[in-house]
Amino acid sequence: MGFLRDLGGWHLLIILVIIVLLFGATRLPAVSKSIGQSVRIFRREVKTMKDEPTAEDEAAAERKTASSTAADDKK
Protein backbone atom coordinates (compact mmCIF):
# COMPACT_ATOMS: atom_id res chain seq x y z
CA MET A 1 0.00 0.00 0.00
CA GLY A 2 2.92 2.27 -0.64
CA PHE A 3 1.15 3.96 -3.54
CA LEU A 4 -1.35 5.55 -1.13
CA ARG A 5 1.43 7.58 0.49
CA ASP A 6 2.27 9.15 -2.89
CA LEU A 7 -1.24 10.51 -3.48
CA GLY A 8 -1.39 14.26 -3.26
CA GLY A 9 -4.25 16.70 -3.24
CA TRP A 10 -4.39 16.94 -7.03
CA HIS A 11 -4.46 13.16 -7.39
CA LEU A 12 -7.40 12.88 -5.01
CA LEU A 13 -9.23 15.68 -6.84
CA ILE A 14 -8.76 13.91 -10.18
CA ILE A 15 -10.02 10.64 -8.68
CA LEU A 16 -13.08 12.45 -7.30
CA VAL A 17 -13.82 13.98 -10.72
CA ILE A 18 -13.55 10.55 -12.36
CA ILE A 19 -15.95 9.08 -9.79
CA VAL A 20 -18.44 11.89 -10.41
CA LEU A 21 -18.20 11.30 -14.16
CA LEU A 22 -18.71 7.55 -13.77
CA PHE A 23 -21.61 7.58 -11.33
CA GLY A 24 -23.12 11.00 -11.89
CA ALA A 25 -23.73 13.61 -9.23
CA THR A 26 -27.28 12.44 -8.58
CA ARG A 27 -26.28 8.86 -7.75
CA LEU A 28 -23.35 9.71 -5.44
CA PRO A 29 -25.47 10.21 -2.29
CA ALA A 30 -27.14 6.84 -2.81
CA VAL A 31 -23.80 5.13 -3.41
CA SER A 32 -22.24 6.70 -0.31
CA LYS A 33 -25.29 5.77 1.78
CA SER A 34 -25.10 2.12 0.71
CA ILE A 35 -21.35 2.02 1.41
CA GLY A 36 -21.97 3.48 4.88
CA GLN A 37 -24.65 0.88 5.61
CA SER A 38 -22.36 -1.91 4.43
CA VAL A 39 -19.55 -0.71 6.69
CA ARG A 40 -21.95 -0.47 9.64
CA ILE A 41 -23.21 -4.03 9.06
CA PHE A 42 -19.65 -5.31 8.70
CA ARG A 43 -18.55 -3.68 11.99
CA ARG A 44 -21.60 -5.09 13.80
CA GLU A 45 -20.87 -8.61 12.52
CA VAL A 46 -17.21 -8.37 13.51
CA LYS A 47 -18.21 -7.22 17.01
CA THR A 48 -20.70 -10.09 17.26
CA MET A 49 -18.04 -12.58 16.22
CA LYS A 50 -15.63 -11.19 18.85
CA ASP A 51 -18.29 -11.39 21.56
CA GLU A 52 -19.31 -14.98 20.80
CA PRO A 53 -17.44 -17.59 22.81
CA THR A 54 -15.22 -19.85 20.75
CA ALA A 55 -15.26 -23.63 20.89
CA GLU A 56 -12.03 -23.53 22.94
CA ASP A 57 -13.63 -21.17 25.48
CA GLU A 58 -16.65 -23.44 25.81
CA ALA A 59 -14.45 -26.54 26.20
CA ALA A 60 -12.36 -24.82 28.89
CA ALA A 61 -15.49 -23.76 30.77
CA GLU A 62 -16.84 -27.31 30.50
CA ARG A 63 -13.58 -28.79 31.85
CA LYS A 64 -13.58 -26.29 34.71
CA THR A 65 -17.18 -27.17 35.60
CA ALA A 66 -16.44 -30.90 35.36
CA SER A 67 -13.34 -30.63 37.56
CA SER A 68 -15.16 -28.55 40.17
CA THR A 69 -18.06 -31.02 40.34
CA ALA A 70 -15.57 -33.89 40.61
CA ALA A 71 -13.84 -32.13 43.50
CA ASP A 72 -17.22 -31.57 45.18
CA ASP A 73 -18.05 -35.28 44.79
CA LYS A 74 -14.82 -36.29 46.59
CA LYS A 75 -15.70 -34.21 49.64
Side-chain angles (χ1 to χ4, degrees):
M1 300 219 342
F3 69 90
L4 290 178
R5 284 185 244 143
D6 297 334
L7 288 179
W10 285 107
H11 296 110
L12 295 176
L13 183 63
I14 292 170
I15 292 171
L16 180 64
V17 168
I18 291 171
I19 290 173
V20 168
L21 288 175
L22 287 175
F23 292 108
T26 56
R27 289 185 52 199
L28 282 180
V31 169
S32 61
K33 180 181 177 183
S34 67
I35 290 173
Q37 288 176 340
S38 299
V39 169
R40 230 176 285 124
I41 291 169
F42 178 74
R43 285 183 181 170
R44 188 176 5 172
E45 291 297 323
V46 168
K47 184 177 184 281
T48 302
M49 287 177 61
K50 285 181 181 179
D51 292 343
E52 288 178 356
T54 62
E56 293 174 359
D57 294 340
E58 291 175 359
E62 199 172 296
R63 283 192 302 269
K64 184 177 179 182
T65 304
S67 65
S68 67
T69 55
D72 290 342
D73 291 342
K74 289 182 182 180
K75 289 183 182 181

